[in-house]
Amino acid sequence: MKVILIGANGRMGKEMQYFFTQNKVDYVAIDKDNAKDLKDKCGDVILDFSTPDALIQNLTFAKNKKLPLVIATTNHTKENFDEIKEQSKVIPIFMSSNFSIMFNVLNRMIRNIKGQQDQEIVLEEVHHKTKKDIPSGSAKMLIATLKKNNITPKVVALRVGKVIGIHKVKVYNDFETLTLVHNVESRQVFCLGAYNACKFIVTKKNGLFDMENLIDSL
């Protein structure tokens, strides 16, 4: 399997290149500003770690080449999501805000939290000080899961130091407290998840997939 890595010069793109090199994965690197070079590149699957504003050109390239696409960017517009859903009818697309297996296990766990009158739910997320989106795509995923149970959590978002990612869901009532925590200690965990997503989707014909589908396949 050969991976076309888009956004290779970004923070996560460089991490992916290191991961691919260490694990002897065949890949070709494309910087997000050199989209014109895409048309000449060949591979089996596209991994997009660029930016949301590059989505349409990357989707078009994937559709024209009939290649599976793994979208690892966040903070997309409604129009972007609509286009992703439309193109997934033609090609297989894998999309996630967080490629950590354990983070997605946390997301599954909080489905069991039910809204009760005497409860308060707090979601705390901490990331490095250069991270732009607040709340993060990962936090938005947890918020969406809680809202399915009619829970609107209080959100605390911190941007400090070089923290990769910490997410805490705290449940308070009058007599007890439950705290669920996920802490990322290396970005390589996202690289492993993204690579597994590539291996998962490369055999699919079309459709829209996420980490839930990947976890179920393990």
Side-chain angles (χ1 to χ4, degrees):
M1 180 182 72
K2 184 175 183 178
V3 181
I4 299 174
L5 173 63
I6 304 177
N9 291 341
R11 184 191 296 271
M12 278 306 304
K14 291 177 180 177
E15 289 279 350
M16 282 305 315
Q17 290 195 70
Y18 177 79
F19 176 89
F20 287 153
T21 301
Q22 292 296 109
N23 292 278
K24 297 181 171 58
V25 177
D26 191 12
Y27 78 99
V28 57
I30 297 290
D31 180 60
K32 75 178 185 68
D33 295 324
N34 294 328
K36 63 180 183 298
D37 295 338
L38 273 173
K39 65 181 186 300
D40 300 322
K41 302 303 180 183
C42 297
D44 301 302
V45 60
I46 302 166
L47 174 56
D48 180 13
F49 262 114
S50 59
T51 57
D53 60 333
L55 173 75
I56 300 303
Q57 69 184 19
N58 296 337
L59 270 175
T60 301
F61 173 73
K63 182 181 69 172
N64 291 342
K65 292 286 188 177
K66 295 182 173 58
L67 289 175
L69 173 63
V70 176
I71 301 173
T73 52
T74 60
N75 205 28
H76 288 282
T77 63
K78 181 183 182 301
E79 289 74 19
N80 278 4
F81 281 118
D82 290 343
E83 189 64 22
I84 290 166
K85 290 178 182 177
E86 184 64 27
Q87 296 307 327
S88 69
K89 299 175 183 177
V90 181
I91 59 172
I93 297 176
F94 191 110
M95 185 174 187
S96 180
S97 298
N98 190 307
F99 281 85
S100 159
I101 294 291
M102 294 308 296
F103 174 86
N104 284 275
V105 170
L106 168 65
N107 193 43
R108 283 189 171 192
M109 291 173 66
I110 66 173
R111 292 177 189 167
N112 295 315
I113 300 174
K114 307 300 181 184
Q116 298 180 21
Q117 195 167 16
D118 64 338
Q119 278 186 173
E120 291 184 273
I121 314 295
V122 177
L123 168 60
E124 179 183 314
E125 56 130 343
V126 187
H127 288 90
H128 54 89
K129 60 185 177 183
T130 59
K131 188 170 181 61
K132 297 178 181 178
D133 51 330
I134 300 177
S136 66
S138 300
K140 288 178 181 177
M141 184 190 302
L142 298 176
I143 292 168
T145 298
L146 290 169
K147 284 189 172 180
K148 289 179 181 178
N149 284 345
N150 297 314
I151 297 171
T152 301
K154 297 177 181 178
V155 179
V156 178
L158 301 175
R159 299 291 179 265
V160 294
K162 297 182 179 180
V163 178
I164 298 173
I166 302 173
H167 293 86
K168 297 180 182 180
V169 178
K170 299 180 180 180
V171 185
Y172 297 90
N173 65 26
D174 292 340
F175 304 106
E176 55 190 344
T177 302
L178 171 66
T179 302
L180 302 172
V181 183
H182 179 258
N183 181 22
V184 176
E185 298 178 358
S186 169
R187 288 187 177 86
Q188 287 294 295
V189 72
F190 302 132
C191 297
L192 177 60
Y195 178 55
N196 284 333
C198 290
K199 291 195 295 182
F200 171 85
I201 201 173
V202 76
T203 61
K204 303 296 185 288
K205 299 299 182 183
N206 65 333
L208 185 57
F209 304 91
D210 59 20
M211 289 298 288
E212 291 286 312
N213 303 115
L214 176 58
I215 292 173
D216 288 339
S217 72
L218 297 177

